[in-house]
Amino acid sequence: MSIGKYEDLNEMQIDVLREVGNIGSGNATTALSSMVGKMIDIQVPKVEVLDFNAAIEAVGGPEKVIAGILIRINGDIDGMIMFLFEQNLISLIVQTFFGSAPQDIFSLNEAELSALNEMGNIMAGSYVNAISQLAGMTIDVEVPVMTIDMLGAIMSVPAIEMGEMGDKLLFIDNNMVIDQTCIDSKMLLLPTIDSLDNLLGKLGVA
Amino acid sequence: MGQKLIVGISDWKIGRGDDVLVTYALGSCIGTCLYDRTTGISGLSHIMLPDSTAIIDGHTTRMKFADTALPDMLEKMKAMGAMQGAIKAKIAGGAIMFQTSNSKFNIGQRNIEAVKAALQKLRIPIIAEDTGLNYGRTMTFWAENGAVEISSTVMGKKMI
């Protein structure tokens, strides 16, 4: 069956997407853990199909200030990976690379910003590698781009690019956990509708 | 007591009197305030995309596109008694949130152009704007006097 809109997905397909998120984010988190030398876990991913406003509420609310790292992916899956990093995770990463944590999210210098960007690059590569091995797919990862701003403005980018044909977004949402505390930093995988058929077909649940 | 009317993404609402209309965190999207100073009837729209004509299937809202949302909102304002000739516009948004070399993704600029074209077609002058650049904006619009505040994380607050 061809998926015409995100709401058409059945339970089994949602379960498979959740597992894709689990494997991808597990691998990405392992990469992050080994870079910062700290045990980082992920919660069981959620597969959300929500209208734009509800999607933004679900990841923290429109005016929450956060770092967004966007990585476009194409090939057997088209879409985006979006990392949403909170202050505490940014501090941890910056501290690891530079020895001292930044004062706040707006005082990051060029070197610190590019270290975060590189972290996004490594994590996105790990995420995508795990999925492509799983399903024998070829997926290319573009260079990450980063901004620090209101969550609503950041999420308008996937909403615009993915949401042209409908009024909903599909995303696989992973919360990160450090030392048993959920740190509210997230990894989102946002596939386009057109590439879902291909992904689900390769995984045997089209 | 006026109400605080929250305008979501792909949405528009109309207020009057001492209502306050707010739309949060415009990125590449555009917020358009239409204000009729004679009646105080005020509309705020939050569009995501420039043009509805390429969208062939009908399961998406007209409030999402510049070319459909703005005429619809104006129609509703006029039905409530707004005077076409007295309506002025203020617009904000249309940022590039993520700088890339690929211009295909500069939807912000296309949205700005589409909103301006739609307003010109409706013969509504734009008296203030805060558009483009690379940051998100929250827009607050007071129906009692047409004042519009833009707030952003990098630039703080300003009135337009």
Side-chain angles (χ1 to χ4, degrees), chain B residues 38-78:
Chain B
T38 60
T39 62
I41 294 171
S42 301
L44 173 57
S45 131
H46 182 144
I47 61 102
M48 278 175 69
L49 289 164
D51 183 12
S52 67
T53 53
I55 309 301
I56 28 174
D57 49 2
H59 58 247
T60 184
T61 172
R62 291 169 60 85
M63 295 188 282
K64 184 154 78 179
F65 305 99
D67 65 328
T68 45
L70 295 175
D72 289 357
M73 184 167 80
L74 177 65
E75 250 343 279
K76 180 72 200 260
M77 287 172 68
K78 280 161 55 178

Side-chain angles (χ1 to χ4, degrees), chain A residues 40-60:
Chain A
I40 302 174
D41 290 321
I42 45 155
Q43 292 180 331
V44 176
K46 284 181 285 191
V47 179
E48 307 267 30
V49 178
L50 295 172
D51 77 49
F52 307 131
N53 296 296
I56 290 167
E57 284 301 331
V59 294

Side-chain angles (χ1 to χ4, degrees), chain A residues 64-181:
Chain A
K64 178 177 185 166
V65 175
I66 203 155
I69 303 176
L70 167 70
I71 299 109
R72 293 194 170 80
I73 56 175
N74 40 62
D76 284 331
I77 307 180
D78 285 320
M80 304 176 173
I81 291 175
M82 177 80 86
F83 295 108
L84 300 172
F85 285 177
E86 288 245 32
Q87 168 91 41
N88 49 10
L89 180 59
I90 290 171
S91 291
L92 177 63
I93 294 170
V94 169
Q95 178 128 34
T96 306
F97 285 102
F98 300 96
S100 64
Q103 282 215 311
D104 64 61
I105 201 166
F106 293 107
S107 63
L108 296 165
N109 62 35
E110 281 298 315
E112 291 165 341
L113 287 170
S114 72
L116 287 168
N117 224 16
E118 185 51 26
M119 200 66 239
N121 198 22
I122 291 166
M123 289 172 70
S126 309
Y127 197 117
V128 163
N129 277 342
I131 311 174
S132 38
Q133 280 167 20
L134 172 78
M137 290 186 286
T138 308
I139 307 165
D140 292 324
V141 179
E142 290 187 20
V143 178
V145 277
M146 176 170 166
T147 192
I148 295 167
D149 210 307
M150 291 185 271
L151 186 51
I154 289 172
M155 288 298 290
S156 75
V157 174
I160 285 170
E161 290 183 31
M162 309 284 145
E164 190 164 17
M165 304 307 287
D167 295 325
K168 290 190 192 288
L169 269 184
L170 176 140
F171 57 96
I172 305 168
D173 176 2
N174 290 95
N175 266 316
M176 290 180 231
V177 180
I178 300 181
D179 299 334
Q180 269 95 55
T181 308

Side-chain angles (χ1 to χ4, degrees), chain A residues 7-19:
Chain A
E7 301 94 295
D8 294 341
L9 290 166
N10 64 34
E11 273 303 308
M12 196 211 294
Q13 291 167 327
I14 297 272
D15 281 344
V16 167
L17 289 177
R18 188 177 299 117
E19 191 51 26

